Every structure is written in structure tokens, then in C-alpha cells.
Amino acid sequence: MDKVGTSIPALPVPSSGPSVAVAFGGGGARGVAHIHIIETLDALGITPVAISGSSIGAIMGAAMASGLSGKDIRDHTLATVGKRSTAFGRIWKAARPLGVKDAMENGLRLGQFNVERILEAFLPDSVARTFEELKIPTKIMVTDYYGHCEVVCEAGDLRTAIAASAAIPAVFRPVVIGDRIMIDGGIFNPVPFDKLSGLADIIIGVDVVGLPAGSPGQTPSTIDMMFGSSQLMMQSIIEMKRHAFPPHILLRPEVHQYRVLDFLKAREILADSKGVAEQLKRDLDAAFAFYGSS
């Protein structure tokens, strides 16, 4: 494991009650379900003292840490990726070749989409551009491809870190940070609750990796097999980390049936995963009651 920037110091526990930190996991479009977590914390008046995130979780976490409410994020998501015409218009604007040379040399091949340009087309303007501008200390996970290690980004250029964390192999180009080739943070750390250890009384992990969908005996497509195999590997990583650094609350929204690139189904994902909001309320009630009785 490596780091970019300085570490987040342990934060004092607020006098009003136990402190909370949240790890938002990776999972592509399934991460739209993170909106329920942010909305629930908003409704309960809970501001996390620290956030960590991988891939789509880095995007959602950075939006929350920038001061956007769950409603803000929901509205923006549904107005952009939730609308087919708007989504395709923004993708084309971001992904189209910059000129004839770019078109001839690169084109729009698999794995060649520029995630930095696409994120700039979709991120709300109010998302901070540097870690130092964030209202909540945040750690974003990326993977150093040639360094063979996870990297924690927590200072400097926030947007580049988010892009690197979301650079899903076979979909997006890697992102260069310094002289290092960075890819999807979920490869090494799908739900980085371990990076919040010691920073809060109650640590919440939100797993939207899911499991391969389909019926037993049904042969998956090549694309589904590729992403499904990745899901299985990530779940094994989550399980190992859960035993080593158990979060106080681990949530798994109902998102298994959705594919990693099903962003156009944002409304359906929100509808099917809404039960996680009540689960979070119950789990927080139990956790706060424990602290109140101790």
C-alpha cells in the first residue's frame, strides 16, 4: 500500500454522540444506491467525520464531502445519466476524438474512453477540485498498475484522483498521476472501510460490488463473464478485509441484478435498493444505543 498526500489524523469524538465514518464501495452503476446512504445520513443530521471511496464510491463520497446533499446528488444523477438523451449527448461530447489525428490513432476502441473527460462532463460543478477544498476529510483509493499496490489519495488534485479510482479496465484508459499508471481503486480495495479504522466510533461500509447475475446453467456472455469474475474476486477481498478490520455496519443494497454499466437504469436501481435506507436507520439506532448504554 502506498499513499499520495498526507494521512488523515484521528478526529475527536463530537460531544453530541459517537462519530461516524463511511466507506463507499465500487460497483459501477450499482453505486447509484449510495445515494440512499447519503440521504439517510442527511435526514438523521449525521455528518461523517471521514469518508473513503473506491470507483463510483469515490465519486459519491467526493460529492458528499464537497457539501452536496443526498437530494442534490439524486437530482443531478437522474438529470444526467438518468436521461438517455442527456447521457448520450454528454458521453459523445466527452468521448469524441479531439481531431483527425486522434480519431485515426485512437478511435473509440474498447478500453480507450478517457475517464477524465467523461467525469468532467458528468460531475456537478460544485464538486471540489482539490482535497483541501473538501468539507469532510476523504481518502480515495486507486491502484498503481506497475507498482502492484493500492494507493491512498488524500491531498492535491481531487478530480484526477476520482478519475483514476473510476478507471475500470477494458472500459477506460488508465490515468497518469505523476509518473504512475493508475487504474480502478476497487481492484485492490473494493470497499475501503479499513482505511477509516480509528477515525470514528462507528464505521459504515457500503458494498455495491454485488454478485454475478443470471440463472444456474445459463452460459454468461463474454462481457458478463469478465465483469462477473471481477465481482467474485472483489467479494473475496471484502471478506478478508472484513475479518481483519470489521466495520461496525456493513450494508449490501439489492443491486445484484444490475450490470456495471447500467447507468441508464439509475431510477430502477434507486427503486430496487431503497430498502437499504431503513436498514441503515435500524443499524445506526442499534449502534447509538450501544454507545449510549456503555
Side-chain angles (χ1 to χ4, degrees):
M1 193 270 290
D2 200 355
K3 292 185 177 182
V4 174
T6 56
S7 61
I8 298 176
L11 299 172
V13 179
S15 58
S16 57
S19 57
V20 173
V22 187
F24 294 103
R30 295 183 290 267
V32 170
H34 287 316
I35 292 171
H36 291 301
I37 307 304
I38 300 170
E39 288 178 328
T40 301
L41 293 174
D42 289 345
L44 296 174
I46 297 173
T47 300
V49 296
I51 288 172
S52 63
S54 290
S55 200
I56 186 68
I59 297 171
M60 293 290 181
M64 184 184 196
S66 296
L68 278 76
S69 68
K71 183 181 184 303
D72 293 335
I73 299 169
R74 175 189 286 264
D75 290 346
H76 182 81
T77 299
L78 295 180
T80 52
V81 297
K83 286 187 176 181
R84 182 176 295 270
S85 59
T86 304
F88 280 119
R90 290 185 182 226
I91 288 172
W92 170 244
K93 182 178 179 181
R96 72 180 188 273
L98 295 175
V100 174
K101 184 174 183 290
D102 187 48
M104 294 296 290
E105 292 183 352
N106 299 312
L108 296 179
R109 300 191 306 273
L110 183 67
Q112 289 300 307
F113 287 106
N114 186 320
V115 66
E116 293 176 89
R117 288 175 63 189
I118 288 177
L119 275 178
E120 283 299 324
F122 282 94
L123 279 179
D125 292 337
S126 49
V127 171
R129 293 198 169 270
T130 67
F131 281 89
E132 291 73 21
E133 296 173 58
L134 294 174
K135 302 178 187 301
I136 302 171
T138 298
K139 299 187 177 192
I140 289 180
M141 304 305 304
V142 301
T143 298
D144 185 334
Y145 184 77
Y146 289 112
H148 315 146
C149 64
E150 66 178 12
V151 175
V152 183
C153 296
E154 45 196 4
D157 190 326
L158 175 67
R159 300 260 180 139
T160 299
I162 296 172
S165 189
I168 302 171
V171 178
F172 298 115
R173 300 175 191 173
V175 173
V176 179
I177 298 180
D179 60 352
R180 304 164 80 176
I181 303 299
M182 304 296 199
I183 58 174
D184 187 358
I187 291 173
F188 260 93
N189 205 333
V191 190
F193 45 76
D194 57 310
K195 303 307 175 188
L196 300 175
S197 181
L199 297 182
D201 299 306
I202 300 169
I203 296 172
I204 302 168
V206 190
D207 172 15
V208 293
V209 169
L211 291 166
S215 303
Q218 177 185 3
T219 302
S221 68
T222 300
I223 293 294
D224 284 345
M225 179 73 79
M226 181 178 68
F227 286 123
S229 298
S230 177
Q231 285 175 287
L232 293 174
M233 288 188 288
M234 288 181 180
Q235 286 295 351
S236 70
I237 294 171
I238 294 168
E239 191 63 17
M240 287 189 290
K241 288 185 178 289
R242 189 175 67 84
H243 284 291
F245 303 94
H248 301 90
I249 298 172
L250 181 59
L251 303 167
R252 289 187 162 114
E254 290 294 326
V255 292
H256 300 299
Q257 65 272 37
Y258 295 100
R259 293 180 171 87
V260 70
L261 297 178
D262 276 347
F263 285 99
L264 292 176
K265 297 181 179 179
R267 293 180 188 276
E268 293 94 324
I269 294 170
L270 284 169
D272 288 340
S273 61
K274 62 183 180 181
V276 74
E278 286 302 321
Q279 182 185 348
L280 176 57
K281 290 177 184 177
R282 292 194 299 270
D283 290 349
L284 282 172
D285 281 345
F288 274 70
F290 171 81
Y291 274 93
S293 62
S294 60

